[in-house]
Amino acid sequence: MNVKAVSSDAIGAAITRTIDSVDKVFAGGVFTVQCVGADGQVKWEENLNNLVVNAGLKDMNDKYFTGSTYTAAWYLGLYGAAASNNPAAGDTAASHAGWTEVVPYSNATRPAATFAAATTADPSVITNSASPASFAINATSTVGGAFLISNNTKSGTTGILFSASDFAAPGDRVVASGDTLNVIYTFSLDAA
């Protein structure tokens, strides 16, 4: 009787890799609007957390990651009473059904937002606080919020709408001829 010897080897290996960390960036902006009366006294001041609209987010990504046409020209605008206010993520320069721009100021165009260099700390912050946009009010009007846009034409509907924000409760503010509205926009990116 012949008996055959049988041998066998078994080898197994497993590699398991778990990625637990997720990179996130939080972005947000704040409008600071200060009303100075004709007598030079501060009448009121508002800090408004903004909504960065979809068109603004897309524009930021396109310019930074794909190198599409770049502009550093940004302007600040005002919009009207709360009855018509309601910025929405889908708003664009051409279509923003929830609010209407108001132009009770003598500036020939929307004032520029002249930003200083961004900080390098976390969060990285960019602001025009060293050079606030100034609106020389020349008519009584009600202002309900502010917005940032790439077009300087008063009531213009072209360009990129980046962000918009309503005044906090109680809401609307009345401005009068002789007032000056100084508007600062501060935007920060936080790697969380």
Side-chain angles (χ1 to χ4, degrees):
M1 167 158 83
N2 285 335
V3 177
K4 291 185 176 180
V6 177
S7 71
S8 66
D9 290 326
I11 298 174
I15 297 174
T16 304
R17 182 174 180 212
T18 303
I19 300 174
D20 289 330
S21 66
V22 175
D23 289 333
K24 293 181 183 179
V25 175
F26 293 97
V30 175
F31 291 93
T32 301
V33 182
Q34 183 182 70
C35 181
V36 178
D39 61 0
Q41 299 298 309
V42 175
K43 294 171 80 173
W44 53 266
E45 185 171 306
E46 286 281 343
N47 290 307
L48 323 165
N49 291 321
N50 76 181
L51 166 68
V52 178
V53 298
N54 297 341
L57 295 171
K58 180 185 182 311
D59 184 62
M60 209 163 96
N61 275 334
D62 282 345
K63 287 177 180 169
Y64 191 83
F65 292 108
T66 66
S68 66
T69 304
Y70 171 76
T71 181
W74 291 99
Y75 305 91
L76 290 155
L78 305 171
Y79 58 81
S84 63
N85 291 358
N86 194 16
D91 286 351
T92 66
S95 176
H96 42 80
W99 52 274
T100 303
E101 183 172 4
V102 294
V103 292
Y105 53 94
S106 61
N107 312 52
T109 60
R110 294 172 180 143
T114 305
F115 293 106
T119 63
T120 57
D122 186 10
S124 177
V125 177
I126 195 162
T127 183
N128 70 320
S129 62
S131 181
S134 184
F135 295 82
I137 304 300
N138 65 356
T140 300
S141 185
T142 301
V143 178
F147 62 95
L148 182 70
I149 193 166
S150 68
N151 178 341
N152 72 344
T153 304
K154 290 166 78 167
S155 300
T157 58
T158 61
I160 303 296
L161 176 65
F162 184 78
S163 64
S165 184
D166 289 340
F167 289 145
D172 302 338
R173 298 292 192 146
V174 174
V175 294
S177 185
D179 288 347
T180 300
L181 283 187
N182 295 312
V183 182
I184 295 170
Y185 185 69
T186 303
F187 185 75
S188 62
L189 292 171
D190 183 4

